[in-house]
Amino acid sequence: MSLLSALTKELKAEANSKQALISQRFFKTAPGQYGAGDVFLGLKVPRQRQIAQKYASLDLKGVQALLNSKFHEFRLVGLLILIEQYQKATDLKKKERIVNFYLKNTKRINNWDLVDLSVYKILGDYLLRVPNKKPLLSRLAVSKNLWERRLAMIATYAFIQKGRAEEALEIAKKLLKDEHDLMHKAVGWMLREVGKRVDEKKLTSFLEEYGRTMSRTALRYAIERLSPKQKTYYLKR
């Protein structure tokens, strides 16, 4: 039995119909919703991580088969395997190959958890290592594809973790007028992390300039860790 066949068999063997229904509601899979048509087996993320580690040597052809699957868990396990392989890659060329593969599959990274669990660990980390590739974030930020725009925003978490706010603030500015609630949340989340992990003054300076025009959702996320007095000030503005 091939590695891919064994992995597929193991994932399907642990399907849980009750959990699958819960996941389908949580990830908004009804017609017209952002995750419309997504199908779940009903495995929780910790178990998917265990399976990904077990099959981390799967080749990219096998990972592609996982990403092409209709099952959400297959796609997530494929991305978790990519993270494992990227982090273990011993040179930049190997990392670049994985990043290019990742970017070719952005249409398969099509729900917020798939984006959030993978992009800063692969694309974000790579852009830290190869600064001249950073314009890629700006191109993703203006994509018509919701998930590519979210990729651009959440990728900046890699920079934030290294104490850098500029990349996140730059992409946040480009996405302030985005109409989708998932982008409001993504922008607000990264702004909050700037205040938490980098410098609260950078966050408040940004809010002084853009707080009046950003969405209420983004603002609420951004000010979550500020003092009650600061929260009241920005909300009243």
Side-chain angles (χ1 to χ4, degrees):
M1 182 182 294
S2 71
L3 207 59
L4 177 61
S5 296
L7 189 164
T8 299
K9 183 177 180 181
E10 190 163 342
L11 280 173
K12 288 185 175 179
E14 299 197 28
N16 182 318
S17 58
K18 184 177 180 180
Q19 181 60 42
L21 288 173
I22 293 171
S23 296
Q24 284 173 207
R25 288 194 294 270
F26 183 71
F27 287 101
K28 309 297 184 184
T29 63
Q33 295 182 314
Y34 62 74
D38 208 350
V39 181
F40 286 79
L41 290 170
L43 281 77
K44 293 187 177 180
V45 172
R47 180 58 184 138
Q48 292 177 73
R49 289 189 186 279
Q50 292 174 348
I51 293 172
Q53 289 175 354
K54 181 177 178 180
Y55 295 97
S57 61
L58 186 68
D59 61 23
L60 290 184
K61 184 178 179 181
V63 174
Q64 185 67 67
L66 294 176
L67 293 178
N68 289 343
S69 174
K70 68 177 180 179
F71 293 115
H72 188 98
E73 289 88 348
F74 278 42
R75 301 197 301 282
L76 179 52
V77 168
L79 291 169
L80 293 173
I81 289 172
L82 274 188
I83 293 170
E84 288 279 327
Q85 294 182 356
Y86 177 85
Q87 292 176 339
K88 290 179 180 178
T90 54
D91 60 65
L92 197 57
K93 284 188 176 181
K94 290 180 180 178
K95 289 183 182 295
E96 184 174 30
R97 181 179 177 224
I98 293 169
V99 169
N100 289 337
F101 177 85
Y102 185 87
L103 290 170
K104 288 178 181 177
N105 281 282
T106 55
K107 290 183 179 179
R108 308 303 300 158
I109 308 170
N110 56 355
N111 215 315
W112 59 263
D113 63 319
L114 303 179
V115 172
D116 297 358
L117 290 172
S118 66
V119 67
Y120 71 96
K121 292 182 177 181
I122 297 177
L123 180 59
D125 180 86
Y126 177 74
L127 295 177
L128 272 168
R129 298 168 187 269
V130 189
N132 66 319
K133 299 282 188 178
K134 281 195 297 182
L136 172 62
L137 292 181
S138 295
R139 293 198 294 272
L140 289 171
V142 297
S143 171
K144 293 181 180 179
N145 183 303
L146 163 65
W147 306 117
E148 290 190 343
R149 300 198 304 276
R150 190 167 175 110
L151 284 167
M153 190 71 254
I154 306 303
T156 66
Y157 191 41
F159 294 88
I160 293 170
Q161 289 181 319
K162 294 295 184 180
R164 290 169 52 171
E166 290 72 22
E167 292 80 8
L169 298 179
E170 179 185 348
I171 299 302
K173 289 176 190 177
K174 295 179 182 297
L175 292 167
L176 284 179
K177 301 297 184 181
D178 199 291
E179 297 181 355
H180 204 289
D181 185 60
L182 281 176
M183 290 310 305
H184 301 165
K185 293 175 179 177
V187 169
W189 173 24
M190 289 301 101
L191 290 175
R192 182 188 72 203
E193 293 301 311
V194 166
K196 174 185 174 182
R197 295 175 180 270
V198 184
D199 186 350
E200 188 176 290
K201 289 183 179 180
K202 289 184 181 294
L203 168 60
T204 54
S205 294
F206 185 93
L207 295 177
E208 285 294 327
E209 186 170 358
Y210 300 102
R212 288 188 176 92
T213 58
M214 63 198 298
S215 76
R216 197 73 165 176
T217 298
L219 180 61
R220 286 189 178 278
Y221 269 63
I223 66 175
E224 197 172 75
R225 295 182 62 87
L226 297 182
S227 69
K229 184 178 180 180
Q230 288 173 304
K231 289 180 183 178
T232 300
Y233 167 73
Y234 287 114
L235 289 171
K236 284 186 175 180
R237 290 174 80 233

